[in-house]
Amino acid sequence: MTFKHIVLIAVVLILLILSLFYYVLRDKMLDVSKEEPFVELINKQLTTKKRCVLAKNPGLPIKDSHPYIIEDGSSYRIEDIEIIKEIPLASNFTIQSVELHKGAVSGATICYVFGSITLENETYPFCVSWGRKNAIENSNWVFPQSFWQEKEYDQEFSLPEL
Protein backbone atom coordinates (compact mmCIF):
# COMPACT_ATOMS: atom_id res chain seq x y z
CA MET A 1 0.00 0.00 0.00
CA THR A 2 1.37 3.35 -0.97
CA PHE A 3 1.33 6.55 1.04
CA LYS A 4 -1.36 7.96 -1.28
CA HIS A 5 -3.65 5.00 -0.56
CA ILE A 6 -3.20 5.39 3.20
CA VAL A 7 -3.96 9.12 3.03
CA LEU A 8 -7.00 8.48 0.82
CA ILE A 9 -8.37 5.84 3.23
CA ALA A 10 -7.78 8.17 6.20
CA VAL A 11 -9.58 11.05 4.45
CA VAL A 12 -12.54 8.81 3.55
CA LEU A 13 -12.78 7.51 7.14
CA ILE A 14 -12.66 11.05 8.56
CA LEU A 15 -15.41 12.16 6.15
CA LEU A 16 -17.56 9.17 7.12
CA ILE A 17 -17.12 9.88 10.83
CA LEU A 18 -17.93 13.59 10.35
CA SER A 19 -21.01 12.69 8.29
CA LEU A 20 -22.18 10.32 11.02
CA PHE A 21 -21.73 13.02 13.68
CA TYR A 22 -23.65 15.52 11.54
CA TYR A 23 -26.50 13.06 10.99
CA VAL A 24 -26.79 12.12 14.66
CA LEU A 25 -26.24 15.59 16.17
CA ARG A 26 -28.29 17.79 13.86
CA ASP A 27 -31.63 19.31 14.82
CA LYS A 28 -34.51 17.29 13.44
CA MET A 29 -37.94 18.47 12.30
CA LEU A 30 -41.08 16.58 11.26
CA ASP A 31 -44.37 18.03 9.98
CA VAL A 32 -47.20 16.33 11.89
CA SER A 33 -50.06 18.42 10.51
CA LYS A 34 -51.84 15.30 9.24
CA GLU A 35 -51.69 13.52 12.60
CA GLU A 36 -54.36 13.51 15.30
CA PRO A 37 -55.23 15.87 17.00
CA PHE A 38 -53.86 18.47 14.55
CA VAL A 39 -55.62 17.35 11.38
CA GLU A 40 -58.90 18.80 12.68
CA LEU A 41 -57.26 22.19 13.31
CA ILE A 42 -55.28 22.81 10.12
CA ASN A 43 -56.60 25.60 7.85
CA LYS A 44 -59.85 25.88 9.79
CA GLN A 45 -61.08 29.14 11.28
CA LEU A 46 -60.54 28.90 15.02
CA THR A 47 -61.60 31.35 17.72
CA THR A 48 -59.82 32.51 20.86
CA LYS A 49 -61.60 31.36 24.01
CA LYS A 50 -59.25 32.95 26.58
CA ARG A 51 -57.72 36.35 27.20
CA CYS A 52 -54.60 36.47 25.03
CA VAL A 53 -51.98 38.88 23.85
CA LEU A 54 -49.93 39.04 20.70
CA ALA A 55 -46.26 39.46 21.56
CA LYS A 56 -42.82 39.39 20.03
CA ASN A 57 -41.18 36.03 20.55
CA PRO A 58 -38.91 36.64 23.56
CA GLY A 59 -36.30 34.21 22.22
CA LEU A 60 -35.13 33.40 18.75
CA PRO A 61 -38.12 32.58 16.54
CA ILE A 62 -38.28 28.97 15.38
CA LYS A 63 -38.95 30.33 11.90
CA ASP A 64 -38.08 33.86 10.82
CA SER A 65 -41.42 33.94 9.00
CA HIS A 66 -43.30 33.59 12.35
CA PRO A 67 -41.78 36.18 14.73
CA TYR A 68 -44.81 36.52 17.05
CA ILE A 69 -46.38 34.41 19.78
CA ILE A 70 -49.88 34.34 21.19
CA GLU A 71 -49.70 34.11 24.95
CA ASP A 72 -52.43 33.40 27.48
CA GLY A 73 -50.14 33.25 30.50
CA SER A 74 -49.49 29.51 30.28
CA SER A 75 -45.94 29.73 28.87
CA TYR A 76 -44.73 33.19 29.86
CA ARG A 77 -45.80 35.71 32.43
CA ILE A 78 -47.61 38.45 30.56
CA GLU A 79 -45.46 41.02 32.41
CA ASP A 80 -42.25 39.47 31.02
CA ILE A 81 -42.97 39.76 27.29
CA GLU A 82 -43.16 42.62 24.80
CA ILE A 83 -46.88 42.88 24.05
CA ILE A 84 -47.84 44.09 20.58
CA LYS A 85 -51.64 43.97 20.95
CA GLU A 86 -54.37 42.65 23.19
CA ILE A 87 -56.38 40.00 21.37
CA PRO A 88 -60.12 40.37 21.89
CA LEU A 89 -62.07 37.28 22.92
CA ALA A 90 -63.62 35.43 19.97
CA SER A 91 -60.92 36.63 17.56
CA ASN A 92 -60.51 34.40 14.52
CA PHE A 93 -57.22 32.86 13.45
CA THR A 94 -55.93 29.87 11.48
CA ILE A 95 -53.27 27.24 12.06
CA GLN A 96 -51.32 26.38 8.91
CA SER A 97 -48.97 23.67 10.19
CA VAL A 98 -47.69 21.77 13.21
CA GLU A 99 -44.13 20.52 13.52
CA LEU A 100 -42.12 18.46 15.98
CA HIS A 101 -38.60 19.78 16.57
CA LYS A 102 -35.91 17.74 18.31
CA GLY A 103 -32.88 19.61 19.55
CA ALA A 104 -29.51 18.07 18.76
CA VAL A 105 -27.98 18.99 22.10
CA SER A 106 -30.84 18.47 24.53
CA GLY A 107 -32.64 15.69 22.69
CA ALA A 108 -35.94 17.22 23.80
CA THR A 109 -38.83 17.15 21.33
CA ILE A 110 -41.12 20.19 21.24
CA CYS A 111 -44.37 20.57 19.32
CA TYR A 112 -44.78 23.93 17.54
CA VAL A 113 -48.01 25.26 16.07
CA PHE A 114 -47.63 27.80 13.24
CA GLY A 115 -50.54 30.06 12.35
CA SER A 116 -51.66 33.58 11.63
CA ILE A 117 -54.11 36.03 13.13
CA THR A 118 -55.48 39.22 11.61
CA LEU A 119 -55.99 42.16 13.97
CA GLU A 120 -57.08 45.58 12.74
CA ASN A 121 -56.49 44.57 9.09
CA GLU A 122 -52.91 43.46 9.73
CA THR A 123 -51.88 39.79 9.65
CA TYR A 124 -49.43 38.48 12.23
CA PRO A 125 -47.77 35.06 11.72
CA PHE A 126 -47.28 33.35 15.08
CA CYS A 127 -45.75 30.25 16.60
CA VAL A 128 -46.78 28.65 19.89
CA SER A 129 -45.42 25.65 21.71
CA TRP A 130 -48.18 23.20 22.64
CA GLY A 131 -48.17 19.80 24.28
CA ARG A 132 -45.64 17.65 26.03
CA LYS A 133 -44.40 14.13 25.72
CA ASN A 134 -45.60 12.00 28.61
CA ALA A 135 -42.25 10.23 28.89
CA ILE A 136 -42.67 9.10 32.49
CA GLU A 137 -45.55 6.78 31.72
CA ASN A 138 -45.15 6.21 27.98
CA SER A 139 -44.13 8.04 24.82
CA ASN A 140 -47.57 9.49 24.08
CA TRP A 141 -48.29 13.20 23.94
CA VAL A 142 -50.71 15.16 26.11
CA PHE A 143 -52.06 18.57 25.17
CA PRO A 144 -53.18 21.01 27.88
CA GLN A 145 -56.04 23.37 27.18
CA SER A 146 -54.96 26.03 24.72
CA PHE A 147 -56.42 29.44 24.02
CA TRP A 148 -58.72 28.10 21.28
CA GLN A 149 -60.22 25.16 23.22
CA GLU A 150 -63.29 24.99 25.42
CA LYS A 151 -61.65 22.12 27.31
CA GLU A 152 -58.45 20.14 26.99
CA TYR A 153 -58.25 16.75 25.35
CA ASP A 154 -58.91 13.93 27.78
CA GLN A 155 -56.83 11.45 25.81
CA GLU A 156 -53.22 10.96 24.86
CA PHE A 157 -51.95 10.93 21.29
CA SER A 158 -49.25 8.85 19.67
CA LEU A 159 -47.06 10.95 17.37
CA PRO A 160 -44.19 9.76 15.17
CA GLU A 161 -40.71 9.63 16.70
CA LEU A 162 -37.91 11.83 15.40
Side-chain angles (χ1 to χ4, degrees), residues 112-131:
Y112 292 106
V113 175
F114 298 95
S116 61
I117 187 166
T118 302
L119 301 169
E120 299 171 2
N121 296 322
E122 189 169 348
T123 301
Y124 298 91
F126 67 86
C127 172
V128 294
S129 171
W130 183 44

Side-chain angles (χ1 to χ4, degrees), residues 23-86:
Y23 179 76
V24 170
L25 296 177
R26 67 178 165 58
D27 289 344
K28 296 173 180 86
M29 186 276 300
L30 178 65
D31 188 316
V32 290
S33 299
K34 293 184 176 158
E35 302 287 334
E36 288 291 334
F38 314 118
V39 70
E40 65 190 37
L41 304 174
I42 300 298
N43 296 322
K44 304 245 175 27
Q45 186 168 312
L46 301 171
T47 306
T48 59
K49 307 278 195 261
K50 291 180 166 180
R51 176 186 175 264
C52 305
V53 295
L54 179 75
K56 284 207 172 251
N57 191 327
L60 292 174
I62 300 305
K63 291 184 179 181
D64 290 336
S65 59
H66 291 76
Y68 302 101
I69 61 170
I70 293 180
E71 183 55 53
D72 61 1
S74 60
S75 295
Y76 297 97
R77 290 179 355 142
I78 300 295
E79 301 82 27
D80 294 340
I81 55 177
E82 182 184 338
I83 296 173
I84 305 297
K85 293 185 183 292
E86 294 276 338

Side-chain angles (χ1 to χ4, degrees), residues 97-143:
S97 66
V98 181
E99 297 174 357
L100 295 179
H101 287 246
K102 184 174 186 177
V105 176
S106 70
T109 303
I110 301 172
C111 181
Y112 292 106
V113 175
F114 298 95
S116 61
I117 187 166
T118 302
L119 301 169
E120 299 171 2
N121 296 322
E122 189 169 348
T123 301
Y124 298 91
F126 67 86
C127 172
V128 294
S129 171
W130 183 44
R132 65 180 166 76
K133 198 170 187 179
N134 201 359
I136 294 173
E137 298 171 18
N138 54 45
S139 62
N140 289 337
W141 285 77
V142 292
F143 295 95

